[in-house]
Amino acid sequence: MLVLFGDTGSVFASDAFAYDLSSDRWRGLSTDGSPTARAGATAVWYGDAVYLFGGTGDSGRLAQLQSLDPKPAVHLYRKL
C-alpha cells in the first residue's frame, strides 16, 4: 500500500509512505523530485507505475500528471 501526500487541515504535505504487509511496518519514501505538496489528488497504480493527477495545493487546483516508479530505492517521479 502507498500513501502519497495529504494535508494536516491547514498545511499541504508532500510525504510518501509505503506499508509492507509481511512485516506490518510503514516506511517513508524519498520525495526528491516529487510533485508540489497537495491534497485530494487521484492516484492509480497501473503496470509498474503509480500515476498521480491533480489535487489542490497552495496555488489552488492542480492539473499536473506525474508518474512514480515505486520499486527502486530512490523512487523516481516523472512529470508527464
Side-chain angles (χ1 to χ4, degrees):
M1 175 194 309
L2 291 175
V3 176
L4 304 172
F5 309 103
D7 70 88
T8 63
S10 61
V11 176
F12 293 106
S14 60
D15 302 331
F17 297 90
Y19 179 71
D20 184 331
L21 290 170
S22 62
S23 67
D24 191 28
R25 292 187 171 242
W26 286 94
R27 64 183 170 88
L29 304 179
S30 167
T31 55
D32 292 344
S34 70
T36 57
R38 65 189 66 208
T42 298
V44 175
W45 195 311
Y46 181 77
D48 292 335
V50 175
Y51 295 89
L52 179 73
F53 178 75
T56 302
D58 288 329
S59 62
R61 289 187 176 181
L62 303 169
Q64 302 159 333
L65 175 63
Q66 298 208 315
S67 68
L68 163 66
D69 182 349
K71 292 183 194 151
V74 176
H75 302 86
L76 304 174
Y77 290 91
R78 290 182 298 257
K79 192 171 188 176
L80 302 174

